[in-house]
Short mmCIF file of all heavy atoms in Angstrom, two decimals:
data_model
loop_
_atom_site.label_atom_id
_atom_site.label_comp_id
_atom_site.label_asym_id
_atom_site.label_seq_id
_atom_site.Cartn_x
_atom_site.Cartn_y
_atom_site.Cartn_z
N VAL A 480 -7.98 -16.53 -16.91
CA VAL A 480 -8.78 -16.53 -18.11
C VAL A 480 -9.63 -17.77 -18.11
O VAL A 480 -9.12 -18.88 -18.16
CB VAL A 480 -7.92 -16.51 -19.40
CG1 VAL A 480 -8.80 -16.52 -20.61
CG2 VAL A 480 -6.97 -15.30 -19.34
N ASP A 481 -10.98 -17.68 -17.93
CA ASP A 481 -11.81 -18.82 -17.83
C ASP A 481 -12.15 -19.34 -19.25
O ASP A 481 -11.87 -18.63 -20.26
CB ASP A 481 -13.07 -18.50 -17.01
CG ASP A 481 -14.02 -17.46 -17.63
OD1 ASP A 481 -14.00 -17.37 -18.92
OD2 ASP A 481 -14.72 -16.78 -16.89
N PRO A 482 -12.78 -20.51 -19.31
CA PRO A 482 -13.05 -21.06 -20.65
C PRO A 482 -13.89 -20.17 -21.58
O PRO A 482 -13.65 -20.11 -22.81
CB PRO A 482 -13.79 -22.34 -20.31
CG PRO A 482 -13.30 -22.76 -19.01
CD PRO A 482 -13.07 -21.41 -18.24
N THR A 483 -14.85 -19.48 -20.97
CA THR A 483 -15.72 -18.59 -21.77
C THR A 483 -14.88 -17.45 -22.35
O THR A 483 -15.02 -17.09 -23.55
CB THR A 483 -16.91 -18.02 -20.94
OG1 THR A 483 -17.66 -19.12 -20.42
CG2 THR A 483 -17.74 -17.10 -21.77
N GLU A 484 -14.04 -16.87 -21.52
CA GLU A 484 -13.19 -15.76 -22.00
C GLU A 484 -12.17 -16.24 -23.05
O GLU A 484 -11.90 -15.53 -24.02
CB GLU A 484 -12.44 -15.14 -20.79
CG GLU A 484 -13.32 -14.34 -19.88
CD GLU A 484 -12.56 -13.81 -18.71
OE1 GLU A 484 -11.79 -14.57 -18.05
OE2 GLU A 484 -12.68 -12.60 -18.42
N ALA A 485 -11.62 -17.44 -22.83
CA ALA A 485 -10.64 -17.99 -23.73
C ALA A 485 -11.27 -18.15 -25.14
O ALA A 485 -10.67 -17.81 -26.20
CB ALA A 485 -10.11 -19.32 -23.24
N SER A 486 -12.53 -18.65 -25.17
CA SER A 486 -13.21 -18.86 -26.38
C SER A 486 -13.51 -17.56 -27.15
O SER A 486 -13.39 -17.43 -28.33
CB SER A 486 -14.47 -19.66 -26.20
OG SER A 486 -15.24 -19.79 -27.37
N ALA A 487 -13.91 -16.50 -26.36
CA ALA A 487 -14.34 -15.24 -26.92
C ALA A 487 -13.13 -14.37 -27.32
O ALA A 487 -13.22 -13.57 -28.24
CB ALA A 487 -15.22 -14.45 -25.95
N GLN A 492 -6.63 -20.43 -22.01
CA GLN A 492 -7.18 -20.49 -20.61
C GLN A 492 -6.05 -20.51 -19.60
O GLN A 492 -5.03 -21.11 -19.81
CB GLN A 492 -8.06 -21.79 -20.51
CG GLN A 492 -8.77 -21.90 -19.15
CD GLN A 492 -9.66 -23.15 -19.14
OE1 GLN A 492 -9.94 -23.73 -20.19
NE2 GLN A 492 -10.05 -23.60 -17.93
#
Side-chain angles (χ1 to χ4, degrees):
V480 179
D481 66 29
T483 302
E484 291 179 310
S486 177
Q492 184 178 341

